[in-house]
Amino acid sequence: MNKIQMKTPLVEIDGDEMTRVLWEVIKEKLLLPFIELKTEYYDLGLKNRDNTNDDVTFKSAEAIKKYGVGVKCATITANAARKVEYDLQYMHASPNATIRAILDGTVFRKPISVSRIKPSVNTWKAPIVIGRHAYGDVYKAAEMEIEAPGKVELVYTKADGTERRETIADFTGSGIVQGMHNLDESIRSFARACFVYALAEKLPVWFATKDTISKKYDGRFKEIFQEVYDKEYKSKCDAAGIDYFYTLIDDAVARVVKAEGGFLWACKNYDGDVQSDMIASAAGSLAMMTSVLVSPSGVFEYEAAHGTVQQHYYRWQKGEKTSTNPAALIFAWTGALAKRAELDNILELADFSKRLEAALLNTIEDGIMTGDLARLSDPPPQKVLNSWEFIDEIAGRI
Ligand code: NAP
Ligand code: MG
């Protein structure tokens, strides 16, 4: 059989733990037999990030900028326990946050729907897509522990040296403080990315913040979003029959669980982090959530929405063949390959990525699945497989 040829390299970003194990299996069984894979490989395994002082993370983001499309495995975000476990020099920043900061852009997360898995929210008839702003806020904040009484201020020093100050708190004892920011330009590209995605997918857009409390910070988000909509997208949205709806974040959360779905929910960075896990788990499983970072400069990074599935990894290390669901990782690859195919105009590659997705979905529709889905499947599954058997089953159907 002639393998499918690629033109431009795909930026391949390897990661950690169980997802790293499955990454290899997916390549070996589902990709390499069919495609002459052309990738530029970056190893973002925690140990290699530590050895390179995170240089590899920066380089991988620059490579995505250069080539236009990347596919990323899940990676550990270091914390105190990981520092000990991996004998790290220091606590590394989240690689996802680093890459998102370099690429700017917005992360869109969409559940992978299968008829056997009914959403826990029974009013949902169509997927809810989360558009998560990928820059700033708490992910790029400065924090300080305050050890004793004292005054903490925000100080803005302008280029001409003049200052503006705002008291945050007069501490009477120890405590904590945090300073975060965002940029008008980033918020504007967030809004644009959302309307572009919504128009392409014909989805209405919801946006919510807490502007009643955070009048300046969240207020600015609300203002910019409205302005971008009115000036740049309203007429296009009207023509496409989709609308834009703004409300408070708590009202949005309450409405989402009563809605029918089928809309794009634009979320600030933290809201998107939290709500995409809620949507994913209510839609079925974290393992059934796709994720793509779309930057305003037109580059794309595909990944799974879930993490490295740490507990499964420890069981795998003890010799167990775990039943970890590879669906979102496979969709990360098919998304990236399909985008590469579109940009390089390679029809066979576009077709292959559709066939691989269909093979995966048909396997589940036929009642053959991993343990996480077996618990949710209605009707009950025919066969519950471990990840290796499940991937073989998919390979047989491509
Ligand atoms: P996680 O890896 O998403 O897993 C949490 C739980 O969700 C698992 O224990 C498992 O539940 C279930 N799960 C998630 N993905 C699954 C899959 N593919 N198949 C079957 N079950 C799945 O989150 P975590 O364990 O809290 O985090 C582990 C590491 O991932 C952390 O170091 C974190 O920093 C990192 N992380 C990375 C990313 C990223 O790179 N994008 C995102 C989030 C977290 P059961 O145990 O009940 O089977
Ligand atoms: Mg999250």
Side-chain angles (χ1 to χ4, degrees):
M1 195 182 82
N2 284 332
K3 287 196 194 180
I4 299 165
Q5 299 295 316
M6 293 176 64
K7 291 176 188 160
T8 315
L10 177 61
V11 179
E12 176 188 352
I13 302 179
D14 211 343
D16 290 298
E17 300 193 312
M18 204 58 217
T19 44
R20 187 182 180 102
V21 174
L22 294 178
W23 195 258
E24 260 318 298
V25 185
I26 290 168
K27 276 169 62 180
E28 185 203 325
K29 302 278 179 144
L30 302 178
L31 303 174
L32 291 169
F34 308 96
I35 307 170
E36 201 65 66
L37 255 195
K38 197 169 179 180
T39 69
E40 194 165 291
Y41 179 85
Y42 292 86
D43 181 2
L44 263 60
L46 184 50
K47 205 59 210 169
N48 195 44
R49 278 182 274 143
D50 195 52
N51 290 338
T52 61
N53 292 321
D54 264 338
D55 192 46
V56 67
T57 312
F58 292 101
K59 289 217 168 91
S60 70
E62 293 304 331
I64 297 176
K65 261 191 179 168
K66 176 175 168 194
Y67 293 112
V69 188
V71 59
K72 181 181 169 293
C73 184
T75 46
I76 292 169
T77 299
N79 58 17
R82 298 300 200 161
K83 187 164 179 284
V84 177
E85 184 182 358
Y86 285 81
D87 189 23
L88 302 176
Q89 308 176 62
Y90 58 95
M91 225 120 83
H92 296 261
S94 151
N96 283 331
T98 303
I99 294 172
R100 283 169 196 153
I102 294 172
L103 300 181
D104 194 352
T106 299
V107 177
F108 294 96
R109 289 185 172 170
K110 182 181 184 178
I112 304 166
S113 304
V114 285
S115 71
R116 281 174 172 267
I117 312 297
K118 318 265 183 291
S120 350
V121 178
N122 55 24
T123 53
W124 291 356
K125 306 273 183 285
I128 295 171
V129 181
I130 297 267
R132 173 180 171 190
H133 185 210
Y135 178 83
D137 298 351
V138 72
Y139 301 85
K140 230 177 151 48
E143 299 187 323
M144 233 191 257
E145 282 161 355
I146 304 299
E147 48 285 326
K151 180 157 110 172
V152 179
E153 291 175 286
L154 282 177
V155 182
Y156 163 39
T157 313
K158 290 192 197 168
D160 66 7
T162 54
E163 276 183 3
R164 248 170 65 198
R165 283 166 184 268
E166 189 80 43
T167 301
I168 296 173
D170 277 309
F171 282 82
T172 52
S174 60
I176 39 183
V177 67
Q178 181 184 66
M180 58 184 196
H181 80 284
N182 224 300
L183 304 171
D184 287 355
E185 207 36 54
S186 177
I187 301 169
R188 211 165 278 130
S189 28
F190 164 47
R192 286 186 182 126
C194 288
F195 290 116
V196 166
Y197 185 97
L199 282 165
E201 305 269 325
K202 297 263 178 298
L203 297 174
V205 179
W206 291 23
F207 182 48
T209 73
K210 194 70 186 175
D211 69 290
T212 43
I213 302 296
S214 170
K215 292 189 166 55
K216 296 204 172 105
Y217 200 102
D218 280 16
R220 182 67 69 91
F221 271 87
K222 177 185 178 184
E223 212 173 271
I224 290 178
F225 232 91
Q226 189 67 48
E227 191 183 293
V228 167
Y229 175 67
D230 290 341
K231 287 196 183 144
E232 302 174 35
Y233 295 97
K234 185 165 187 320
S235 55
K236 288 179 200 146
C237 288
D238 287 347
I242 60 179
D243 53 7
Y244 169 59
F245 171 62
Y246 177 86
T247 186
L248 284 172
I249 186 69
D250 33 1
D251 180 49
V253 169
R255 282 171 189 262
V256 159
V257 293
K258 295 192 173 159
E260 287 199 351
F263 56 87
L264 168 65
W265 184 7
C267 290
K268 289 178 62 199
N269 210 345
Y270 176 81
D271 296 336
D273 185 348
V274 175
Q275 297 302 342
S276 66
D277 286 352
M278 187 274 284
I279 298 281
S281 113
S285 154
L286 248 190
M288 296 294 278
M289 187 75 146
T290 63
S291 184
V292 57
L293 174 76
V294 182
S295 99
S297 62
V299 307
F300 299 80
E301 184 213 32
Y302 293 82
E303 62 169 342
H306 61 77
T308 60
V309 214
Q310 184 179 5
Q311 296 309 322
H312 292 212
Y313 179 63
Y314 295 146
R315 290 179 2 227
W316 175 81
Q317 281 183 316
K318 289 191 189 125
E320 181 183 329
K321 290 250 173 176
T322 60
S323 187
T324 316
N325 189 343
L329 288 172
I330 294 171
F331 266 77
W333 275 101
T334 54
L337 290 170
K339 181 52 78 178
R340 205 55 280 165
E342 179 194 322
L343 296 174
D344 293 344
N345 199 17
I346 313 171
L347 295 177
E348 314 85 78
L349 190 59
D351 179 59
F352 173 80
S353 95
K354 281 201 195 105
R355 270 190 293 150
L356 176 48
E357 287 181 4
L360 165 60
L361 296 175
N362 290 338
T363 305
I364 299 172
E365 294 293 1
D366 286 349
I368 301 167
M369 59 193 78
T370 46
D372 57 317
L373 297 184
R375 289 193 293 269
L376 307 163
S377 178
D378 171 19
Q382 306 290 326
K383 261 195 238 169
V384 183
L385 302 181
N386 69 42
S387 307
W388 289 260
E389 297 163 336
F390 182 66
I391 289 171
D392 280 339
E393 190 70 40
I394 298 167
R397 290 165 191 248
I398 294 177

